[in-house]
Amino acid sequence: MTFEVQHSDTKSNARAGLIQTGHGAIETPIFMPVGTLGSVKGVHLHELKDDIKAQIILGNTYHLYLRPGIEVIEAAGGLHKFNGFDRPMLTDSGGFQVFSLADIRKLSPEGAEFRSHIDGSRHFFTPERVMDIERSIGADIMMAFDECPPGTAEYDYAKKSLDLTEQWLDRCILRYRETEPKYGYHQSLFPIVQGCTYKDLRQRAAEKIAALDMDGNAIGGLAVGEPTDVMYEMIEVVNAILPKSKPRYLMGVGTPQNILEGIERGVDMFDCVMPTRNGRNAMIFTWHGTINLRNKKWEMDFTPLDPEGTSYVDTTYTRAYVHHLFKAQELLAMQVASIHNLAFYLELVQTARQHIIAGDFTQWKSTVINELGCRL
């Protein structure tokens, strides 16, 4: 994998870059639709590629390990062959999912024991096992196994958690270096900066990871309960240390405003379930703010979902019609809203990229960011 910074904003840390992988190029800044189980919920493959214009999507190690299972994915020839998506893919290591299973998991220096949320069966993830699973899934970018502490964690807990994450990272890298890709193309490993909301812990983690000189780096453990301004502060602390020559991935973030603030602070890659999860619950994002399509005020609104949107659902469906679909509990409502939101997110980062290249990103951001946060 290679990364080239093509343009840098003169008034902020925003940059436009190009990542090259074995499955193609990725223009940054980029938003990555979340395909937890190998599919982006409610979205066809041709819609992902042609209308949403997804350049890269995510899969999740924890969920894919449980079902369909690694044996099935290996027999298919990797996740690209299994789901038919022939562009780059990234796999989350499952660390966040283990974090979310706090009541049914147990952590130790060796790894994480957890019960399946599906049938209660017991499983054990070690850093080595996670690397083997991610090799088998076949993602172009693999994430290191980590613990994600809650944003409100006390300092002592956050420090012990970081100690554990760094021990696991060393083992992940060792396993990564002693194994080979299974499907004939390079797989990159991204370490994850943890440290909760504590500046010294974040600096320590970032310094360790910067020295490893991996293909790229991630920032995890944010947007998990801490105030937004603290999240932005932690991004600034970490990005002041992480090398500029490597892509920076902010995990699980977030709203359109969060994404623009992250871009301004030097983040290149984003993912979040919000576009599809909120879409399935009738909330759509537009250039003028968010809309709850279940509200009666849209019953007679025959304008497009987003008059400034460019996807086919924006030019085909009206707010009144999709309001009707949600009220009638038609499955098409969730599909249309998900496609619209993902297309909007991809358009948002692509427009940001254009303004970085044009040299007026900071000015453009200041004109749109407040409106993006409005409730219509």
Side-chain angles (χ1 to χ4, degrees), residues 110-177:
E110 181 59 25
E113 179 184 335
F114 61 91
R115 288 184 177 271
S116 165
H117 70 285
I118 300 168
D119 60 9
S121 57
R122 289 183 180 274
H123 302 270
F124 195 74
F125 272 3
T126 65
E128 294 81 8
R129 179 66 175 137
V130 169
M131 290 296 96
D132 292 346
I133 293 170
E134 292 194 74
R135 285 290 199 196
S136 294
I137 293 171
D140 300 88
I141 301 172
M142 313 188 308
M143 305 308 299
F145 190 48
D146 64 335
E147 188 201 356
C148 178
T152 55
E154 296 290 336
Y155 184 86
D156 286 347
Y157 181 93
K159 184 177 181 300
K160 291 177 181 178
S161 174
L162 180 58
D163 291 343
L164 187 62
T165 288
E166 291 185 336
Q167 293 170 24
W168 287 356
L169 173 58
D170 291 339
R171 291 165 58 190
C172 283
I173 292 174
L174 180 61
R175 187 67 164 195
Y176 171 75
R177 288 175 173 163

Side-chain angles (χ1 to χ4, degrees), residues 213-360:
D213 194 33
M214 304 302 286
D215 287 342
N217 302 299
I219 306 169
L222 294 177
V224 287
E226 80 284 354
T228 302
D229 59 337
V230 174
M231 176 177 71
Y232 296 151
E233 180 189 0
M234 292 302 102
I235 295 170
E236 291 172 3
V237 166
V238 170
N239 279 352
I241 298 169
L242 293 181
K244 295 180 180 179
S245 60
K246 310 286 185 177
R248 300 161 174 158
Y249 164 30
L250 179 59
M251 304 179 73
V253 179
T255 67
Q257 290 173 299
N258 293 158
I259 288 174
L260 291 188
E261 295 288 358
I263 290 172
E264 187 174 50
R265 289 163 171 79
V267 175
D268 307 294
M269 305 167 68
F270 302 85
D271 82 283
C272 190
V273 298
M274 191 172 287
T276 45
R277 180 177 291 172
N278 287 23
R280 294 194 301 274
N281 288 283
M283 177 178 284
I284 66 168
F285 298 92
T286 78
W287 284 102
H288 298 290
T290 56
I291 295 174
N292 185 341
L293 283 172
R294 284 200 176 96
N295 290 345
K296 186 175 177 60
K297 66 185 292 186
W298 311 115
E299 185 178 29
M300 299 293 285
D301 187 333
F302 301 104
T303 58
L305 291 177
D306 185 354
E308 297 182 30
T310 58
S311 70
Y312 83 86
V313 293
D314 290 317
T315 58
T316 304
Y317 301 107
T318 66
R319 295 173 179 180
Y321 179 63
V322 182
H323 165 82
H324 155 69
L325 294 178
F326 273 110
K327 296 293 286 186
Q329 298 184 27
E330 286 287 333
L331 296 179
L332 180 60
M334 294 185 284
Q335 183 178 9
V336 168
S338 296
I339 294 168
H340 162 81
N341 282 348
L342 287 173
F344 172 78
Y345 267 61
L346 268 294
E347 185 178 345
L348 177 71
V349 294
Q350 184 62 32
T351 304
R353 174 182 168 86
Q354 292 168 358
H355 284 283
I356 294 169
I357 294 171
D360 64 350

